[in-house]
Amino acid sequence: TGLFTYDPGFVSTASCSSTITFIDGDEGVLKYRGHDIADLAENNSFTAVIYLLLYGELPSSEQHKKFLLKIQESSKVSEQVTNVIKAFPKTAHPMSILVACFANLSASYHETHGNNVNGEDLDFGISAIAQVPAIVAMIYRHINNQEFTNANNKLSYSENFLNMIFGSAVNNTLFVKALDKIFTLHADHEQNASTAAVRLVGSAGSNLFASLSAGVATLWGPAHGGANEAVINMLKEIEQSGDVDRFIEKAKDDKDPFKLMGFGHRVYKNYDPRALILKDACHEILSKLEQNNELLEIAKKLEEIALKDEYFITRKLYPNVDFYSGIIMNAIGIPSSMFTPIFALARTTGWVAQWYEMVNDKETKICRPRQLYLGK
Ligand code: CMC
């Protein structure tokens, strides 16, 4: 009945309107609420960026203080979620545990279903953002056979997270600043697959936390947030084999499903501005640590070869956010299986902001794509 457009992967379908994040993929521009990403990453704390994404404006210092207090007050992880984490085998991938934690929280916040939301309910979203660092840190410690650590609310969001992970004062402003930057750069990215999943689930009226759980599940995939872990694994493989060219040739071979991880993007047909910032941050952190990082050298070589290669040039394939982020997290001492959960931690803000925009938008309808039937 009626006509519709056949658009696998929603390559050319806008499924909503939004005032949160703007991307110009041809020019390599990314803005949150009208603020350029480079400026936000350099000059603002991640908590100010959270406020910006949720409320549309950067906070005054008074607003920021009040907001931090609210985050602290809502950051306690329930016994129920603690038990979920403990129930997982130590061999579980941390993303599988994170999916379950949000699914479990959906039981406690069932009232946040789509037909029942008003302005005040932003509190539920803030509690997701407030709890996720402690949850991710607990997952890390669980799979590493370590006792859970307590939050220290006197510390910043990023420093508190690092302390909870490592179980002792990190006291390293370089690491804290780098992580804060990583959080800001990952906080939102308009209608990417996981955000689209959060909106799709929410469009049926399901509650916020059930929607977030779908977001985590989607982000896990290596074509999406899982690419950051895959990049570091690929760089380590190249380091062992010593053969960069073989990986380039493999990525170009259309009979081989292998893709150069951390390369290419649905929207950017130019350098991903987040990758540019992270590449500089990699240099800064490694030179200050006086670490001679072989992985960064391999990444740069890979990039140099790819950007001169006809295959990558004609397809407009450039490094994306996942290409350099893992090298920084590696230098901080975070194992690669935690890279995607850290991405999820940061993206929780974007998912929350987008979910609220969706439920408050009168144009929202249940997301229900059509199909091209080719069967009997
Ligand atoms: N290596 C080799 N070839 C590639 C790559 C790559 N990384 N990415 C795309 N291509 C080729 C692809 O095979 C296709 O070639 P052809 O026209 O000959 O069939 C062409 O480039 C267009 O690619 P596409 O698959 O139509 O692009 P898409 O928009 O559907 O996919 C992507 C985008 C990000 C999933 C894909 O580029 C990819 O798989 N990249 C590697 C994984 C990755 O780094 N993901 C992180 C994405 S950014 C952050 C995030 O979302 O988390």
mmCIF file with all atom_site columns, all heavy atoms in Angstrom, residues 222-225 227 251 259-266 311 315 317 320-322 343, ligand 1:
data_model
loop_
_atom_site.group_PDB
_atom_site.id
_atom_site.type_symbol
_atom_site.label_atom_id
_atom_site.label_alt_id
_atom_site.label_comp_id
_atom_site.label_asym_id
_atom_site.label_entity_id
_atom_site.label_seq_id
_atom_site.pdbx_PDB_ins_code
_atom_site.Cartn_x
_atom_site.Cartn_y
_atom_site.Cartn_z
_atom_site.occupancy
_atom_site.B_iso_or_equiv
_atom_site.pdbx_formal_charge
_atom_site.auth_seq_id
_atom_site.auth_comp_id
_atom_site.auth_asym_id
_atom_site.auth_atom_id
_atom_site.pdbx_PDB_model_num
ATOM   1   N N   . PRO A 1 222 ? 31.808 -3.993 16.017 1.00 0.00 ? 222 PRO A N   1
ATOM   2   C CA  . PRO A 1 222 ? 33.065 -3.425 15.509 1.00 0.00 ? 222 PRO A CA  1
ATOM   3   C C   . PRO A 1 222 ? 32.895 -2.413 14.378 1.00 0.00 ? 222 PRO A C   1
ATOM   4   O O   . PRO A 1 222 ? 33.809 -1.632 14.116 1.00 0.00 ? 222 PRO A O   1
ATOM   5   C CB  . PRO A 1 222 ? 33.851 -4.658 15.030 1.00 0.00 ? 222 PRO A CB  1
ATOM   6   C CG  . PRO A 1 222 ? 32.852 -5.751 14.896 1.00 0.00 ? 222 PRO A CG  1
ATOM   7   C CD  . PRO A 1 222 ? 31.733 -5.457 15.848 1.00 0.00 ? 222 PRO A CD  1
ATOM   8   N N   . ALA A 1 223 ? 31.721 -2.394 13.720 1.00 0.00 ? 223 ALA A N   1
ATOM   9   C CA  . ALA A 1 223 ? 31.529 -1.352 12.702 1.00 0.00 ? 223 ALA A CA  1
ATOM   10  C C   . ALA A 1 223 ? 31.227 -0.013 13.379 1.00 0.00 ? 223 ALA A C   1
ATOM   11  O O   . ALA A 1 223 ? 31.312 1.054  12.754 1.00 0.00 ? 223 ALA A O   1
ATOM   12  C CB  . ALA A 1 223 ? 30.375 -1.723 11.765 1.00 0.00 ? 223 ALA A CB  1
ATOM   13  N N   . HIS A 1 224 ? 30.888 -0.072 14.654 1.00 0.00 ? 224 HIS A N   1
ATOM   14  C CA  . HIS A 1 224 ? 30.524 1.140  15.412 1.00 0.00 ? 224 HIS A CA  1
ATOM   15  C C   . HIS A 1 224 ? 31.559 1.320  16.535 1.00 0.00 ? 224 HIS A C   1
ATOM   16  O O   . HIS A 1 224 ? 32.751 1.340  16.267 1.00 0.00 ? 224 HIS A O   1
ATOM   17  C CB  . HIS A 1 224 ? 29.092 0.930  15.926 1.00 0.00 ? 224 HIS A CB  1
ATOM   18  C CG  . HIS A 1 224 ? 28.397 2.144  16.461 1.00 0.00 ? 224 HIS A CG  1
ATOM   19  N ND1 . HIS A 1 224 ? 28.911 3.411  16.423 1.00 0.00 ? 224 HIS A ND1 1
ATOM   20  C CD2 . HIS A 1 224 ? 27.172 2.263  17.081 1.00 0.00 ? 224 HIS A CD2 1
ATOM   21  C CE1 . HIS A 1 224 ? 28.044 4.261  16.981 1.00 0.00 ? 224 HIS A CE1 1
ATOM   22  N NE2 . HIS A 1 224 ? 26.983 3.580  17.399 1.00 0.00 ? 224 HIS A NE2 1
ATOM   23  N N   . GLY A 1 225 ? 31.128 1.406  17.795 1.00 0.00 ? 225 GLY A N   1
ATOM   24  C CA  . GLY A 1 225 ? 32.070 1.715  18.880 1.00 0.00 ? 225 GLY A CA  1
ATOM   25  C C   . GLY A 1 225 ? 33.100 0.634  19.126 1.00 0.00 ? 225 GLY A C   1
ATOM   26  O O   . GLY A 1 225 ? 34.196 0.909  19.639 1.00 0.00 ? 225 GLY A O   1
ATOM   27  N N   . ALA A 1 227 ? 34.957 -0.579 17.211 1.00 0.00 ? 227 ALA A N   1
ATOM   28  C CA  . ALA A 1 227 ? 36.138 -0.378 16.362 1.00 0.00 ? 227 ALA A CA  1
ATOM   29  C C   . ALA A 1 227 ? 37.361 0.057  17.175 1.00 0.00 ? 227 ALA A C   1
ATOM   30  O O   . ALA A 1 227 ? 38.491 -0.272 16.809 1.00 0.00 ? 227 ALA A O   1
ATOM   31  C CB  . ALA A 1 227 ? 35.844 0.661  15.278 1.00 0.00 ? 227 ALA A CB  1
ATOM   32  N N   . ALA A 1 251 ? 42.698 -4.920 3.165  1.00 0.00 ? 251 ALA A N   1
ATOM   33  C CA  . ALA A 1 251 ? 41.523 -4.037 3.289  1.00 0.00 ? 251 ALA A CA  1
ATOM   34  C C   . ALA A 1 251 ? 40.960 -3.671 1.916  1.00 0.00 ? 251 ALA A C   1
ATOM   35  O O   . ALA A 1 251 ? 39.756 -3.469 1.758  1.00 0.00 ? 251 ALA A O   1
ATOM   36  C CB  . ALA A 1 251 ? 41.907 -2.775 4.058  1.00 0.00 ? 251 ALA A CB  1
ATOM   37  N N   . LYS A 1 259 ? 38.297 -5.039 6.987  1.00 0.00 ? 259 LYS A N   1
ATOM   38  C CA  . LYS A 1 259 ? 38.322 -3.592 6.742  1.00 0.00 ? 259 LYS A CA  1
ATOM   39  C C   . LYS A 1 259 ? 39.398 -2.979 7.621  1.00 0.00 ? 259 LYS A C   1
ATOM   40  O O   . LYS A 1 259 ? 39.679 -3.485 8.719  1.00 0.00 ? 259 LYS A O   1
ATOM   41  C CB  . LYS A 1 259 ? 36.969 -2.980 7.108  1.00 0.00 ? 259 LYS A CB  1
ATOM   42  C CG  . LYS A 1 259 ? 35.870 -3.278 6.104  1.00 0.00 ? 259 LYS A CG  1
ATOM   43  C CD  . LYS A 1 259 ? 34.844 -2.137 6.089  1.00 0.00 ? 259 LYS A CD  1
ATOM   44  C CE  . LYS A 1 259 ? 34.012 -2.121 4.834  1.00 0.00 ? 259 LYS A CE  1
ATOM   45  N NZ  . LYS A 1 259 ? 32.990 -3.158 4.811  1.00 0.00 ? 259 LYS A NZ  1
ATOM   46  N N   . LEU A 1 260 ? 39.983 -1.909 7.134  1.00 0.00 ? 260 LEU A N   1
ATOM   47  C CA  . LEU A 1 260 ? 40.959 -1.204 7.950  1.00 0.00 ? 260 LEU A CA  1
ATOM   48  C C   . LEU A 1 260 ? 40.201 -0.568 9.107  1.00 0.00 ? 260 LEU A C   1
ATOM   49  O O   . LEU A 1 260 ? 39.371 0.332  8.897  1.00 0.00 ? 260 LEU A O   1
ATOM   50  C CB  . LEU A 1 260 ? 41.624 -0.122 7.087  1.00 0.00 ? 260 LEU A CB  1
ATOM   51  C CG  . LEU A 1 260 ? 42.967 0.393  7.542  1.00 0.00 ? 260 LEU A CG  1
ATOM   52  C CD1 . LEU A 1 260 ? 43.974 -0.741 7.672  1.00 0.00 ? 260 LEU A CD1 1
ATOM   53  C CD2 . LEU A 1 260 ? 43.468 1.435  6.571  1.00 0.00 ? 260 LEU A CD2 1
ATOM   54  N N   . MET A 1 261 ? 40.430 -1.056 10.308 1.00 0.00 ? 261 MET A N   1
ATOM   55  C CA  . MET A 1 261 ? 39.639 -0.588 11.446 1.00 0.00 ? 261 MET A CA  1
ATOM   56  C C   . MET A 1 261 ? 40.035 0.846  11.799 1.00 0.00 ? 261 MET A C   1
ATOM   57  O O   . MET A 1 261 ? 41.207 1.213  11.714 1.00 0.00 ? 261 MET A O   1
ATOM   58  C CB  . MET A 1 261 ? 39.810 -1.524 12.650 1.00 0.00 ? 261 MET A CB  1
ATOM   59  C CG  . MET A 1 261 ? 39.312 -2.949 12.388 1.00 0.00 ? 261 MET A CG  1
ATOM   60  S SD  . MET A 1 261 ? 37.699 -3.043 11.536 1.00 0.00 ? 261 MET A SD  1
ATOM   61  C CE  . MET A 1 261 ? 36.589 -2.483 12.806 1.00 0.00 ? 261 MET A CE  1
ATOM   62  N N   . GLY A 1 262 ? 39.016 1.626  12.167 1.00 0.00 ? 262 GLY A N   1
ATOM   63  C CA  . GLY A 1 262 ? 39.275 3.034  12.486 1.00 0.00 ? 262 GLY A CA  1
ATOM   64  C C   . GLY A 1 262 ? 39.337 3.910  11.247 1.00 0.00 ? 262 GLY A C   1
ATOM   65  O O   . GLY A 1 262 ? 39.739 5.071  11.314 1.00 0.00 ? 262 GLY A O   1
ATOM   66  N N   . PHE A 1 263 ? 38.936 3.331  10.107 1.00 0.00 ? 263 PHE A N   1
ATOM   67  C CA  . PHE A 1 263 ? 38.915 4.078  8.849  1.00 0.00 ? 263 PHE A CA  1
ATOM   68  C C   . PHE A 1 263 ? 37.517 4.060  8.246  1.00 0.00 ? 263 PHE A C   1
ATOM   69  O O   . PHE A 1 263 ? 36.821 3.053  8.305  1.00 0.00 ? 263 PHE A O   1
ATOM   70  C CB  . PHE A 1 263 ? 39.887 3.451  7.836  1.00 0.00 ? 263 PHE A CB  1
ATOM   71  C CG  . PHE A 1 263 ? 41.112 4.277  7.635  1.00 0.00 ? 263 PHE A CG  1
ATOM   72  C CD1 . PHE A 1 263 ? 42.111 4.272  8.600  1.00 0.00 ? 263 PHE A CD1 1
ATOM   73  C CD2 . PHE A 1 263 ? 41.270 5.076  6.511  1.00 0.00 ? 263 PHE A CD2 1
ATOM   74  C CE1 . PHE A 1 263 ? 43.256 5.037  8.433  1.00 0.00 ? 263 PHE A CE1 1
ATOM   75  C CE2 . PHE A 1 263 ? 42.411 5.845  6.332  1.00 0.00 ? 263 PHE A CE2 1
ATOM   76  C CZ  . PHE A 1 263 ? 43.410 5.839  7.294  1.00 0.00 ? 263 PHE A CZ  1
ATOM   77  N N   . GLY A 1 264 ? 37.130 5.186  7.635  1.00 0.00 ? 264 GLY A N   1
ATOM   78  C CA  . GLY A 1 264 ? 35.842 5.256  6.946  1.00 0.00 ? 264 GLY A CA  1
ATOM   79  C C   . GLY A 1 264 ? 34.744 5.728  7.880  1.00 0.00 ? 264 GLY A C   1
ATOM   80  O O   . GLY A 1 264 ? 34.837 5.582  9.111  1.00 0.00 ? 264 GLY A O   1
ATOM   81  N N   . HIS A 1 265 ? 33.748 6.322  7.296  1.00 0.00 ? 265 HIS A N   1
ATOM   82  C CA  . HIS A 1 265 ? 32.608 6.802  8.086  1.00 0.00 ? 265 HIS A CA  1
ATOM   83  C C   . HIS A 1 265 ? 31.424 7.044  7.159  1.00 0.00 ? 265 HIS A C   1
ATOM   84  O O   . HIS A 1 265 ? 31.611 7.478  6.029  1.00 0.00 ? 265 HIS A O   1
ATOM   85  C CB  . HIS A 1 265 ? 32.976 8.107  8.816  1.00 0.00 ? 265 HIS A CB  1
ATOM   86  C CG  . HIS A 1 265 ? 32.047 8.418  9.927  1.00 0.00 ? 265 HIS A CG  1
ATOM   87  N ND1 . HIS A 1 265 ? 30.865 9.098  9.732  1.00 0.00 ? 265 HIS A ND1 1
ATOM   88  C CD2 . HIS A 1 265 ? 32.098 8.100  11.242 1.00 0.00 ? 265 HIS A CD2 1
ATOM   89  C CE1 . HIS A 1 265 ? 30.242 9.197  10.886 1.00 0.00 ? 265 HIS A CE1 1
ATOM   90  N NE2 . HIS A 1 265 ? 30.965 8.599  11.826 1.00 0.00 ? 265 HIS A NE2 1
ATOM   91  N N   . ARG A 1 266 ? 30.242 6.756  7.676  1.00 0.00 ? 266 ARG A N   1
ATOM   92  C CA  . ARG A 1 266 ? 29.031 6.987  6.876  1.00 0.00 ? 266 ARG A CA  1
ATOM   93  C C   . ARG A 1 266 ? 28.857 8.462  6.517  1.00 0.00 ? 266 ARG A C   1
ATOM   94  O O   . ARG A 1 266 ? 28.460 8.803  5.398  1.00 0.00 ? 266 ARG A O   1
ATOM   95  C CB  . ARG A 1 266 ? 27.800 6.501  7.664  1.00 0.00 ? 266 ARG A CB  1
ATOM   96  C CG  . ARG A 1 266 ? 26.457 6.814  7.032  1.00 0.00 ? 266 ARG A CG  1
ATOM   97  C CD  . ARG A 1 266 ? 26.259 6.163  5.669  1.00 0.00 ? 266 ARG A CD  1
ATOM   98  N NE  . ARG A 1 266 ? 26.350 4.731  5.692  1.00 0.00 ? 266 ARG A NE  1
ATOM   99  C CZ  . ARG A 1 266 ? 25.377 3.900  6.103  1.00 0.00 ? 266 ARG A CZ  1
ATOM   100 N NH1 . ARG A 1 266 ? 24.229 4.385  6.533  1.00 0.00 ? 266 ARG A NH1 1
ATOM   101 N NH2 . ARG A 1 266 ? 25.555 2.602  6.074  1.00 0.00 ? 266 ARG A NH2 1
ATOM   102 N N   . TYR A 1 311 ? 42.568 3.602  -3.754 1.00 0.00 ? 311 TYR A N   1
ATOM   103 C CA  . TYR A 1 311 ? 41.379 2.946  -3.190 1.00 0.00 ? 311 TYR A CA  1
ATOM   104 C C   . TYR A 1 311 ? 40.732 3.822  -2.112 1.00 0.00 ? 311 TYR A C   1
ATOM   105 O O   . TYR A 1 311 ? 39.541 4.063  -2.110 1.00 0.00 ? 311 TYR A O   1
ATOM   106 C CB  . TYR A 1 311 ? 41.781 1.587  -2.588 1.00 0.00 ? 311 TYR A CB  1
ATOM   107 C CG  . TYR A 1 311 ? 40.650 0.856  -1.888 1.00 0.00 ? 311 TYR A CG  1
ATOM   108 C CD1 . TYR A 1 311 ? 39.876 -0.088 -2.566 1.00 0.00 ? 311 TYR A CD1 1
ATOM   109 C CD2 . TYR A 1 311 ? 40.345 1.100  -0.553 1.00 0.00 ? 311 TYR A CD2 1
ATOM   110 C CE1 . TYR A 1 311 ? 38.839 -0.756 -1.928 1.00 0.00 ? 311 TYR A CE1 1
ATOM   111 C CE2 . TYR A 1 311 ? 39.312 0.437  0.090  1.00 0.00 ? 311 TYR A CE2 1
ATOM   112 C CZ  . TYR A 1 311 ? 38.564 -0.481 -0.599 1.00 0.00 ? 311 TYR A CZ  1
ATOM   113 O OH  . TYR A 1 311 ? 37.529 -1.136 0.040  1.00 0.00 ? 311 TYR A OH  1
ATOM   114 N N   . ARG A 1 315 ? 37.240 6.486  -2.426 1.00 0.00 ? 315 ARG A N   1
ATOM   115 C CA  . ARG A 1 315 ? 36.117 6.191  -1.513 1.00 0.00 ? 315 ARG A CA  1
ATOM   116 C C   . ARG A 1 315 ? 36.030 7.181  -0.354 1.00 0.00 ? 315 ARG A C   1
ATOM   117 O O   . ARG A 1 315 ? 35.180 7.042  0.516  1.00 0.00 ? 315 ARG A O   1
ATOM   118 C CB  . ARG A 1 315 ? 36.235 4.763  -0.976 1.00 0.00 ? 315 ARG A CB  1
ATOM   119 C CG  . ARG A 1 315 ? 35.944 3.722  -2.038 1.00 0.00 ? 315 ARG A CG  1
ATOM   120 C CD  . ARG A 1 315 ? 36.347 2.332  -1.575 1.00 0.00 ? 315 ARG A CD  1
ATOM   121 N NE  . ARG A 1 315 ? 36.097 1.347  -2.603 1.00 0.00 ? 315 ARG A NE  1
ATOM   122 C CZ  . ARG A 1 315 ? 36.845 1.165  -3.691 1.00 0.00 ? 315 ARG A CZ  1
ATOM   123 N NH1 . ARG A 1 315 ? 37.910 1.934  -3.889 1.00 0.00 ? 315 ARG A NH1 1
ATOM   124 N NH2 . ARG A 1 315 ? 36.536 0.245  -4.584 1.00 0.00 ? 315 ARG A NH2 1
ATOM   125 N N   . LEU A 1 317 ? 37.955 7.668  2.283  1.00 0.00 ? 317 LEU A N   1
ATOM   126 C CA  . LEU A 1 317 ? 38.099 6.985  3.572  1.00 0.00 ? 317 LEU A CA  1
ATOM   127 C C   . LEU A 1 317 ? 39.234 7.636  4.369  1.00 0.00 ? 317 LEU A C   1
ATOM   128 O O   . LEU A 1 317 ? 40.375 7.671  3.909  1.00 0.00 ? 317 LEU A O   1
ATOM   129 C CB  . LEU A 1 317 ? 38.405 5.496  3.352  1.00 0.00 ? 317 LEU A CB  1
ATOM   130 C CG  . LEU A 1 317 ? 37.364 4.711  2.533  1.00 0.00 ? 317 LEU A CG  1
ATOM   131 C CD1 . LEU A 1 317 ? 37.894 3.317  2.181  1.00 0.00 ? 317 LEU A CD1 1
ATOM   132 C CD2 . LEU A 1 317 ? 36.052 4.602  3.299  1.00 0.00 ? 317 LEU A CD2 1
ATOM   133 N N   . ASN A 1 320 ? 38.884 7.705  11.523 1.00 0.00 ? 320 ASN A N   1
ATOM   134 C CA  . ASN A 1 320 ? 37.757 8.191  12.315 1.00 0.00 ? 320 ASN A CA  1
ATOM   135 C C   . ASN A 1 320 ? 38.146 8.231  13.801 1.00 0.00 ? 320 ASN A C   1
ATOM   136 O O   . ASN A 1 320 ? 39.278 7.920  14.162 1.00 0.00 ? 320 ASN A O   1
ATOM   137 C CB  . ASN A 1 320 ? 36.503 7.328  12.054 1.00 0.00 ? 320 ASN A CB  1
ATOM   138 C CG  . ASN A 1 320 ? 36.726 5.865  12.415 1.00 0.00 ? 320 ASN A CG  1
ATOM   139 O OD1 . ASN A 1 320 ? 37.199 5.563  13.504 1.00 0.00 ? 320 ASN A OD1 1
ATOM   140 N ND2 . ASN A 1 320 ? 36.392 4.959  11.494 1.00 0.00 ? 320 ASN A ND2 1
ATOM   141 N N   . VAL A 1 321 ? 37.195 8.576  14.643 1.00 0.00 ? 321 VAL A N   1
ATOM   142 C CA  . VAL A 1 321 ? 37.468 8.799  16.076 1.00 0.00 ? 321 VAL A CA  1
ATOM   143 C C   . VAL A 1 321 ? 38.151 7.600  16.741 1.00 0.00 ? 321 VAL A C   1
ATOM   144 O O   . VAL A 1 321 ? 38.930 7.752  17.681 1.00 0.00 ? 321 VAL A O   1
ATOM   145 C CB  . VAL A 1 321 ? 36.154 9.160  16.817 1.00 0.00 ? 321 VAL A CB  1
ATOM   146 C CG1 . VAL A 1 321 ? 35.192 7.983  16.884 1.00 0.00 ? 321 VAL A CG1 1
ATOM   147 C CG2 . VAL A 1 321 ? 36.403 9.712  18.214 1.00 0.00 ? 321 VAL A CG2 1
ATOM   148 N N   . ASP A 1 322 ? 37.851 6.398  16.228 1.00 0.00 ? 322 ASP A N   1
ATOM   149 C CA  . ASP A 1 322 ? 38.364 5.199  16.882 1.00 0.00 ? 322 ASP A CA  1
ATOM   150 C C   . ASP A 1 322 ? 39.827 4.898  16.541 1.00 0.00 ? 322 ASP A C   1
ATOM   151 O O   . ASP A 1 322 ? 40.428 4.018  17.132 1.00 0.00 ? 322 ASP A O   1
ATOM   152 C CB  . ASP A 1 322 ? 37.499 3.984  16.508 1.00 0.00 ? 322 ASP A CB  1
ATOM   153 C CG  . ASP A 1 322 ? 36.087 4.127  17.030 1.00 0.00 ? 322 ASP A CG  1
ATOM   154 O OD1 . ASP A 1 322 ? 35.945 4.523  18.200 1.00 0.00 ? 322 ASP A OD1 1
ATOM   155 O OD2 . ASP A 1 322 ? 35.131 3.868  16.287 1.00 0.00 ? 322 ASP A OD2 1
ATOM   156 N N   . PHE A 1 343 ? 33.724 4.305  25.721 1.00 0.00 ? 343 PHE A N   1
ATOM   157 C CA  . PHE A 1 343 ? 32.954 5.001  24.682 1.00 0.00 ? 343 PHE A CA  1
ATOM   158 C C   . PHE A 1 343 ? 31.477 5.060  25.118 1.00 0.00 ? 343 PHE A C   1
ATOM   159 O O   . PHE A 1 343 ? 30.827 6.115  25.093 1.00 0.00 ? 343 PHE A O   1
ATOM   160 C CB  . PHE A 1 343 ? 33.122 4.230  23.362 1.00 0.00 ? 343 PHE A CB  1
ATOM   161 C CG  . PHE A 1 343 ? 32.595 4.901  22.115 1.00 0.00 ? 343 PHE A CG  1
ATOM   162 C CD1 . PHE A 1 343 ? 33.097 4.518  20.865 1.00 0.00 ? 343 PHE A CD1 1
ATOM   163 C CD2 . PHE A 1 343 ? 31.612 5.869  22.135 1.00 0.00 ? 343 PHE A CD2 1
ATOM   164 C CE1 . PHE A 1 343 ? 32.635 5.089  19.685 1.00 0.00 ? 343 PHE A CE1 1
ATOM   165 C CE2 . PHE A 1 343 ? 31.143 6.460  20.958 1.00 0.00 ? 343 PHE A CE2 1
ATOM   166 C CZ  . PHE A 1 343 ? 31.644 6.057  19.737 1.00 0.00 ? 343 PHE A CZ  1
HETATM 167 N N1  . CMC B 2 .   ? 38.583 -0.365 4.951  1.00 0.00 ? 1   CMC B N1  1
HETATM 168 C C1  . CMC B 2 .   ? 38.490 -0.729 3.647  1.00 0.00 ? 1   CMC B C1  1
HETATM 169 N N2  . CMC B 2 .   ? 37.456 -0.390 2.852  1.00 0.00 ? 1   CMC B N2  1
HETATM 170 C C2  . CMC B 2 .   ? 36.477 0.336  3.403  1.00 0.00 ? 1   CMC B C2  1
HETATM 171 C C3  . CMC B 2 .   ? 36.497 0.727  4.738  1.00 0.00 ? 1   CMC B C3  1
HETATM 172 C C4  . CMC B 2 .   ? 37.615 0.360  5.525  1.00 0.00 ? 1   CMC B C4  1
HETATM 173 N N3  . CMC B 2 .   ? 37.693 0.718  6.815  1.00 0.00 ? 1   CMC B N3  1
HETATM 174 N N4  . CMC B 2 .   ? 35.371 1.435  5.027  1.00 0.00 ? 1   CMC B N4  1
HETATM 175 C C5  . CMC B 2 .   ? 34.650 1.465  3.894  1.00 0.00 ? 1   CMC B C5  1
HETATM 176 N N5  . CMC B 2 .   ? 35.312 0.810  2.894  1.00 0.00 ? 1   CMC B N5  1
HETATM 177 C C6  . CMC B 2 .   ? 34.898 0.668  1.500  1.00 0.00 ? 1   CMC B C6  1
HETATM 178 C C7  . CMC B 2 .   ? 33.701 -0.262 1.374  1.00 0.00 ? 1   CMC B C7  1
HETATM 179 O O1  . CMC B 2 .   ? 34.117 -1.599 1.220  1.00 0.00 ? 1   CMC B O1  1
HETATM 180 C C8  . CMC B 2 .   ? 33.021 0.296  0.147  1.00 0.00 ? 1   CMC B C8  1
HETATM 181 O O2  . CMC B 2 .   ? 33.763 -0.107 -0.971 1.00 0.00 ? 1   CMC B O2  1
HETATM 182 P P1  . CMC B 2 .   ? 33.009 -0.404 -2.390 1.00 0.00 ? 1   CMC B P1  1
HETATM 183 O O3  . CMC B 2 .   ? 32.411 0.905  -2.786 1.00 0.00 ? 1   CMC B O3  1
HETATM 184 O O4  . CMC B 2 .   ? 34.091 -0.878 -3.285 1.00 0.00 ? 1   CMC B O4  1
HETATM 185 O O5  . CMC B 2 .   ? 31.977 -1.441 -2.091 1.00 0.00 ? 1   CMC B O5  1
HETATM 186 C C9  . CMC B 2 .   ? 33.223 1.806  0.301  1.00 0.00 ? 1   CMC B C9  1
HETATM 187 O O6  . CMC B 2 .   ? 34.423 1.949  1.079  1.00 0.00 ? 1   CMC B O6  1
HETATM 188 C C10 . CMC B 2 .   ? 32.076 2.514  0.991  1.00 0.00 ? 1   CMC B C10 1
HETATM 189 O O7  . CMC B 2 .   ? 31.909 1.947  2.267  1.00 0.00 ? 1   CMC B O7  1
HETATM 190 P P2  . CMC B 2 .   ? 30.539 1.497  2.905  1.00 0.00 ? 1   CMC B P2  1
HETATM 191 O O8  . CMC B 2 .   ? 30.729 0.161  3.546  1.00 0.00 ? 1   CMC B O8  1
HETATM 192 O O9  . CMC B 2 .   ? 29.437 1.653  1.918  1.00 0.00 ? 1   CMC B O9  1
HETATM 193 O O10 . CMC B 2 .   ? 30.386 2.606  4.028  1.00 0.00 ? 1   CMC B O10 1
HETATM 194 P P3  . CMC B 2 .   ? 29.337 2.625  5.200  1.00 0.00 ? 1   CMC B P3  1
HETATM 195 O O11 . CMC B 2 .   ? 28.952 4.035  5.376  1.00 0.00 ? 1   CMC B O11 1
HETATM 196 O O12 . CMC B 2 .   ? 28.266 1.640  4.995  1.00 0.00 ? 1   CMC B O12 1
HETATM 197 O O13 . CMC B 2 .   ? 30.210 2.117  6.463  1.00 0.00 ? 1   CMC B O13 1
HETATM 198 C C11 . CMC B 2 .   ? 31.724 2.113  8.259  1.00 0.00 ? 1   CMC B C11 1
HETATM 199 C C12 . CMC B 2 .   ? 30.874 2.976  7.318  1.00 0.00 ? 1   CMC B C12 1
HETATM 200 C C13 . CMC B 2 .   ? 32.289 3.032  9.356  1.00 0.00 ? 1   CMC B C13 1
HETATM 201 C C14 . CMC B 2 .   ? 30.861 1.055  8.917  1.00 0.00 ? 1   CMC B C14 1
HETATM 202 C C15 . CMC B 2 .   ? 32.876 1.464  7.471  1.00 0.00 ? 1   CMC B C15 1
HETATM 203 O O14 . CMC B 2 .   ? 33.683 2.485  6.921  1.00 0.00 ? 1   CMC B O14 1
HETATM 204 C C16 . CMC B 2 .   ? 33.713 0.529  8.331  1.00 0.00 ? 1   CMC B C16 1
HETATM 205 O O15 . CMC B 2 .   ? 33.336 -0.625 8.523  1.00 0.00 ? 1   CMC B O15 1
HETATM 206 N N6  . CMC B 2 .   ? 34.874 1.013  8.872  1.00 0.00 ? 1   CMC B N6  1
HETATM 207 C C17 . CMC B 2 .   ? 35.699 0.193  9.753  1.00 0.00 ? 1   CMC B C17 1
HETATM 208 C C18 . CMC B 2 .   ? 35.086 0.141  11.132 1.00 0.00 ? 1   CMC B C18 1
HETATM 209 C C19 . CMC B 2 .   ? 35.197 1.449  11.872 1.00 0.00 ? 1   CMC B C19 1
HETATM 210 O O16 . CMC B 2 .   ? 36.234 2.072  11.944 1.00 0.00 ? 1   CMC B O16 1
HETATM 211 N N7  . CMC B 2 .   ? 34.087 1.877  12.495 1.00 0.00 ? 1   CMC B N7  1
HETATM 212 C C20 . CMC B 2 .   ? 34.024 3.089  13.314 1.00 0.00 ? 1   CMC B C20 1
HETATM 213 C C21 . CMC B 2 .   ? 33.109 4.106  12.720 1.00 0.00 ? 1   CMC B C21 1
HETATM 214 S S1  . CMC B 2 .   ? 33.291 5.746  13.404 1.00 0.00 ? 1   CMC B S1  1
HETATM 215 C C22 . CMC B 2 .   ? 32.902 5.731  15.064 1.00 0.00 ? 1   CMC B C22 1
HETATM 216 C C23 . CMC B 2 .   ? 31.774 4.902  15.490 1.00 0.00 ? 1   CMC B C23 1
HETATM 217 O O17 . CMC B 2 .   ? 30.707 4.847  14.901 1.00 0.00 ? 1   CMC B O17 1
HETATM 218 O O18 . CMC B 2 .   ? 31.955 4.247  16.500 1.00 0.00 ? 1   CMC B O18 1
#
